[in-house]
Amino acid sequence: MEPSKIYELVREKIIWLDLMPESILNLSELAESFEVSRTPIKEALILLQADSWVLHQGSHFMVTPLSLNRIKEITEIRSLVEIQANVWAMNRITTEESAALGELEKEILQLKDTASNKQMIELDVKFHRSLFQAAKNSQLTQLLERMLGHYLRFWLSIPCEIEPQSFFSETLEIIQAIKAKDEVKLRVSSSAHIKRSVDEIIGSF
């Protein structure tokens, strides 16, 4: 297995808290689980370190702790690039992508109050990735995916139940704005969505 593939799989485990913040990564155990030698594991961890998913401490690698300062810094960038990405998505979305966004809107509206935090977050990821795809800019998608991953770790760590109606309020506004080709409303709703997201994270920790 290539180091790049191991990188992707370990990153997903970190994002979805299968590997918890500040947990020590054992190279031998990872090598055994991926059925490879320690060398590609170490190469993958070096890549993860470069993208701030792990830290190198002495002879060990550790999953990076949750950092509110990192989230604040990411939000400054996200507030600029994600809003523009959403505008591009509105202007570049295909008929097929628009139909998929409509189906996603139905899924959100049909969510029950008993939905778990993880179910709602998975649906939110699906929403964001659909807009990343519609924006038609692979370099921007990579940046947005990385920022989204850091946010996800916080959302999954929130100790209280997330309320669906509140969580998806701006999401539904964004979908409506894209349907209506209303750039002003889209920018306002996208900005409000990002602000609410970071405010709720900071308020929960």
Side-chain angles (χ1 to χ4, degrees):
M1 186 181 295
E2 293 295 320
S4 58
K5 182 61 176 177
I6 296 170
Y7 166 94
E8 291 174 10
L9 294 171
V10 174
R11 183 189 61 186
E12 286 296 301
K13 287 179 179 292
I14 292 171
I15 289 171
W16 293 98
L17 303 186
D18 295 322
L19 291 170
M20 296 295 290
E22 301 184 62
S23 59
I24 301 299
L25 301 174
N26 184 296
L27 268 68
S28 297
E29 288 178 2
L30 287 170
E32 184 177 349
S33 68
F34 286 108
E35 299 181 340
V36 295
S37 69
R38 287 164 54 100
T39 300
I41 296 295
K42 192 164 185 179
E43 290 175 6
L45 292 177
I46 289 169
L47 294 173
L48 288 159
Q49 181 186 7
D51 284 342
S52 301
W53 296 112
V54 304
L55 299 173
H56 196 193
Q57 292 195 329
S59 60
H60 296 98
F61 285 93
M62 180 185 81
V63 176
T64 53
L66 295 176
S67 166
L68 285 174
N69 187 57
R70 182 183 293 121
I71 284 294
K72 289 174 184 177
E73 290 180 349
I74 289 171
T75 301
E76 288 185 344
I77 302 168
R78 185 184 174 198
S79 296
L80 294 173
V81 297
E82 185 172 310
I83 293 170
Q84 184 58 52
N86 288 353
V87 172
W88 284 340
M90 178 186 72
N91 293 326
R92 299 171 180 176
I93 195 166
T94 65
T95 303
E96 186 179 81
E97 289 166 344
S98 184
L101 196 60
E103 289 302 312
L104 187 56
E105 181 183 27
K106 289 179 186 176
E107 282 188 65
I108 292 170
L109 291 170
Q110 290 168 0
L111 264 180
K112 293 181 169 37
D113 290 337
T114 54
S116 69
N117 284 9
K118 187 173 182 182
Q119 285 174 312
M120 286 186 280
I121 290 164
E122 285 173 340
L123 195 51
D124 184 61
V125 170
K126 192 174 175 183
F127 161 72
H128 281 289
R129 286 179 173 165
S130 68
L131 294 189
F132 298 165
Q133 178 183 344
K136 310 292 190 298
N137 187 307
S138 61
Q139 296 301 313
L140 186 56
T141 292
Q142 289 177 30
L143 175 60
L144 291 170
E145 279 279 0
R146 182 166 170 260
M147 292 192 291
L148 179 63
H150 285 292
Y151 267 85
L152 288 180
R153 291 209 300 159
F154 269 96
W155 277 112
L156 289 163
S157 300
I158 284 178
C160 56
E161 292 298 315
I162 300 170
E163 204 279 310
Q165 200 167 16
S166 171
F167 186 71
F168 286 109
S169 58
E170 289 91 9
T171 303
L172 293 170
E173 289 176 5
I174 289 169
I175 293 172
Q176 286 300 316
I178 288 173
K179 284 182 177 179
K181 301 290 186 184
D182 187 337
E183 182 174 332
V184 173
K185 182 179 177 183
L186 178 59
R187 287 184 179 276
V188 170
S189 298
S190 298
S191 179
H193 177 67
I194 294 166
K195 185 178 185 305
R196 179 195 287 269
S197 181
V198 72
D199 285 351
E200 291 196 16
I201 285 172
I202 291 172
S204 298
F205 288 90

